[in-house]
Amino acid sequence: MVDLHAQYLKIKSEIDAAVQQVIDSSAFINGPGVDRFAENLAGYLGVKHVIPCANGTDALMMALMVLDLKPDDEVIVPTFGYVAAAEVISFLHLIPVMVDADCGSFNISLDELEQYITSKTKAIIPVHLFGQCCRMEPIMQLSQKYNLYVIEDNAQSLGATYTFSDGKKKKAGAIGDIGCTSFFPAKNLGCFGDGGAVFTDHDELAEKIRMTANHGQSEKYCHKIIGCNSRLDTLQAAILDVKLKYLDAYSEARYAAAQRYTEGLKKIDELELPAEEPFSTHVYNQYTVKVKNGKRDALKACLHEKGIPSAVYYPLPLHKQQAFKGIIRTVSSLDYATQLCGEVLSLPMHTELEPGVQQFIIDEIRCFFEG
Ligand SMILES: *Cc1c(COP(=O)(O)O)cnc(C)c1O
């Protein structure tokens, strides 16, 4: 699905030098490279504060921890997607309110979103799935109307750009009150292990997140709030600082690979190809198609037989997961998310995908449908 080794080989000398420098310095925890990377990422995103942390799930958890929410306060999340946001909401004894997916984009549906908002609703977590932004402009309008915090889960869409109706542009993750991302190796900006970050323009929230990540202390052994221990290693920061310079080129390579898939697959009636929204660039963390007429699993098996990997992101909507039984609230049947889980298939997608390899994949898919 990804080729991390080929990507590494292209920048090996830079990465190796950066890693060696950290080893020589022995500043493995909170070394100067961590702040440097945070500043560079803040510059890239156009946000005031970037707080690096241990992983994307911690980023989401800390974002929620600093909002002074009370048990049973409600937080709106999509039911189609990765578990992290709903998981940390529940972990903090808040109620995940689950919303259906949008037909075209896989992202949270806005059709009925207002109906989910009650006096207990305090925040909404739009998850920018597969590389493309949610409809942030109406989400921000709703959040202003009902005084809700907006925490963007930007683990899959770092580098995407949102265009507002007045033409103003912002980076994904820099639109809401707080943005969160993950540097898991397979993400668009991946490190060589685990990593994550929180971004915000709010000085006070940034200060609280910084303290939260460091056992709630402002100065050593002075614990003002309940926190946790969530740090980005200096080694990972050094690797990320090298790779950040290539993020836009990586996004372009993913986009080009996506266009090759689309060109090769567009004539197959039983496939619905990814829809590109007019308001967001697409950085294709995943190239995810919908396979119609119940043929998804057969196509997946056929590809597997030919040595072609593919993956189902995601096989079960969160509201049907055992862990959330009795915890969630919803106001709709969430049918569309359930339907998606039966249709989606993600094809190999990464920065080093060769046209020849893609042609082989395309040919095998066409062979499956057309014989
Ligand atoms: C990967 C991912 C996360 C979690 O990131 P980790 O670094 O693995 O904790 C959260 N949300 C989404 C949408 C993700 O894809």
Side-chain angles (χ1 to χ4, degrees):
M1 291 297 285
V2 296
D3 189 346
L4 300 174
H5 191 66
Q7 191 192 55
Y8 161 64
L9 289 179
K10 287 196 177 156
I11 52 170
K12 181 177 186 314
S13 58
E14 270 183 282
I15 295 273
D16 290 2
V19 167
Q20 191 61 52
Q21 210 238 317
V22 176
I23 295 172
D24 290 341
S25 76
S26 298
F28 297 116
I29 302 293
N30 295 337
V34 179
D35 285 343
R36 202 179 319 131
F37 167 64
E39 271 170 38
N40 289 337
L41 183 58
Y44 176 86
L45 293 167
V47 294
K48 239 169 129 180
H49 307 279
V50 166
I51 302 107
C53 64
N55 57 66
T57 308
D58 275 10
L60 287 163
M61 186 176 74
M62 294 193 296
L64 284 169
M65 281 170 79
V66 299
L67 300 181
D68 295 322
L69 305 182
K70 291 176 204 63
D72 293 337
D73 279 348
E74 296 181 354
V75 181
I76 293 174
V77 278
T79 187
F80 180 75
Y82 193 61
V83 69
E87 179 181 44
V88 295
I89 293 166
S90 310
F91 183 77
L92 294 171
H93 302 287
L94 307 166
I95 312 276
V97 178
M98 291 192 180
V99 178
D100 212 351
D102 174 68
C103 291
S105 69
F106 307 105
N107 279 327
I108 190 166
S109 167
L110 297 198
D111 290 350
E112 303 162 344
L113 196 59
E114 206 159 358
Q115 293 174 33
Y116 288 80
I117 298 170
T118 70
S119 58
K120 287 183 141 191
T121 312
K122 296 294 154 58
I124 168 164
I125 305 188
V127 182
H128 305 311
L129 218 54
F130 301 154
Q132 189 165 237
C133 294
C134 301
R135 290 179 181 275
M136 289 307 289
E137 189 156 357
I139 289 174
M140 295 312 292
Q141 282 160 359
L142 270 184
S143 76
Q144 274 147 22
K145 183 168 168 192
Y146 292 98
N147 202 20
L148 311 176
Y149 286 105
V150 175
I151 301 171
E152 298 173 72
D153 180 345
N154 196 29
Q156 297 187 7
S157 301
L158 199 68
T161 302
Y162 190 92
T163 305
F164 289 84
S165 47
D166 64 1
K168 231 174 87 189
K169 290 178 192 296
K170 278 194 181 183
K171 283 288 184 194
I175 302 166
D177 298 284
I178 303 178
C180 297
T181 202
S182 163
F183 305 121
F184 182 83
K187 309 290 188 191
N188 288 30
L189 180 63
C191 62
F192 292 3
D194 274 312
V198 188
F199 355 114
T200 184
D201 280 331
H202 296 260
D203 297 336
E204 272 169 49
L205 290 178
E207 184 54 27
K208 268 177 105 175
I209 295 162
R210 242 180 256 290
M211 284 193 338
T212 301
N214 184 26
H215 297 293
Q217 54 192 351
S218 51
E219 48 199 287
K220 216 165 178 57
Y221 306 123
C222 174
H223 304 276
K224 291 201 171 142
I225 54 178
I226 297 296
C228 59
N229 172 25
S230 190
R231 295 185 285 242
L232 181 71
D233 293 347
T234 315
L235 278 169
Q236 302 300 348
I239 290 161
L240 288 165
D241 209 27
V242 171
K243 290 184 75 177
L244 178 60
K245 291 183 293 188
Y246 299 99
L247 180 57
D248 284 342
Y250 290 159
S251 299
E252 282 167 27
R254 288 173 178 276
Y255 189 77
Q259 301 318 302
R260 291 194 291 268
Y261 274 138
T262 296
E263 193 53 36
L265 299 172
K266 68 184 180 195
K267 292 211 180 93
I268 301 173
D269 290 341
E270 288 175 294
L271 284 187
E272 196 179 316
L273 305 182
E276 289 180 6
E277 301 276 24
F279 50 79
S280 174
T281 61
H282 203 320
V283 294
Y284 283 102
N285 180 249
Q286 297 297 337
Y287 187 91
T288 303
V289 301
K290 291 176 226 166
V291 188
K292 298 295 173 187
N293 303 325
K295 293 187 177 172
R296 193 266 313 275
D297 293 342
L299 172 61
K300 187 174 193 314
C302 169
L303 293 176
H304 179 74
E305 225 164 79
K306 310 281 181 191
I308 299 168
S310 63
V312 176
Y313 305 124
Y314 296 85
L316 195 64
L318 298 173
H319 71 279
K320 294 200 169 174
Q321 297 281 355
Q322 189 184 338
F324 294 110
K325 222 175 156 188
I327 292 180
I328 64 148
R329 192 175 75 76
T330 187
V331 298
S332 104
S333 56
L334 307 174
D335 288 338
Y336 190 66
T338 304
Q339 184 191 327
L340 272 184
C341 290
E343 293 182 344
V344 286
L345 191 66
S346 298
L347 301 178
M349 171 50 78
H350 53 85
T351 58
E352 314 303 315
L353 205 51
E354 303 275 348
V357 172
Q358 282 188 280
Q359 193 57 53
F360 171 66
I361 298 169
I362 289 164
D363 289 345
E364 291 302 337
I365 293 173
R366 283 166 70 161
C367 177
F368 172 82
F369 286 106
E370 293 159 7

